[in-house]
Amino acid sequence: MLTYIKAFLIIINGLLFASLAILTSVVDFKGKIMHIISKIFSKGVLLIAGVKLEINSRELLDKKENYIFISNHQSYFDIPLLMQAIPNNLRFVYRKSLSRIPIFGWGMYLS
């Protein structure tokens, strides 16, 4: 039962922040607001799920530099973990069909 409650809360969290992404995309051309929204969204997902993250050597990354981060998609938590672990403003490559998901996919596309 607790798993279903957590899943429901994660869905609500996703819908809330995807809606915010859609609304802010009109004025956020550089993605700064989206970066903040993504950080808060991912923190919420990890908090609800009870995932604890330990980050080492983050200070080696320069926020002003450009990097390519490559992750082998191992679980549903990869994206929220990367959003929390990497201080830089992130962009993801994803399947085009995910953009068709109402609200969540639209927010992902606009971000």
Side-chain angles (χ1 to χ4, degrees):
M1 183 67 172
L2 184 60
T3 303
Y4 292 115
I5 293 170
K6 286 181 179 183
F8 177 75
L9 291 174
I10 290 171
I11 290 169
I12 296 300
N13 184 45
L15 290 173
L16 172 69
F17 285 103
S19 299
L20 280 173
I22 292 167
L23 293 173
T24 60
S25 67
V26 180
V27 295
D28 186 29
F29 300 110
K30 293 188 178 185
K32 291 182 180 185
I33 299 170
M34 184 55 57
H35 178 68
I36 294 167
I37 290 171
S38 298
K39 290 284 187 180
I40 297 169
F41 160 75
S42 61
K43 184 77 166 179
V45 169
L46 298 176
L47 185 68
I48 293 167
V51 175
K52 294 181 182 174
L53 176 63
E54 182 180 322
I55 302 169
N56 297 313
S57 304
R58 186 193 301 203
E59 66 278 357
L60 298 176
L61 296 174
D62 183 358
K63 289 184 180 182
K64 295 177 182 172
E65 289 295 321
N66 294 319
Y67 299 96
I68 296 176
F69 299 101
I70 300 173
S71 171
N72 188 5
H73 205 1
Q74 295 292 312
S75 76
Y76 291 115
F77 292 108
D78 288 357
I79 292 172
L81 288 169
L82 286 171
M83 287 178 173
Q84 286 300 302
I86 299 171
N88 303 59
N89 196 339
L90 296 175
R91 296 292 185 265
F92 288 96
V93 176
Y94 62 93
R95 282 194 337 229
K96 187 177 180 180
S97 61
L98 293 175
S99 298
R100 297 186 200 121
I101 300 170
I103 303 173
F104 184 72
W106 303 338
M108 203 165 44
Y109 173 77
L110 292 170
S111 69

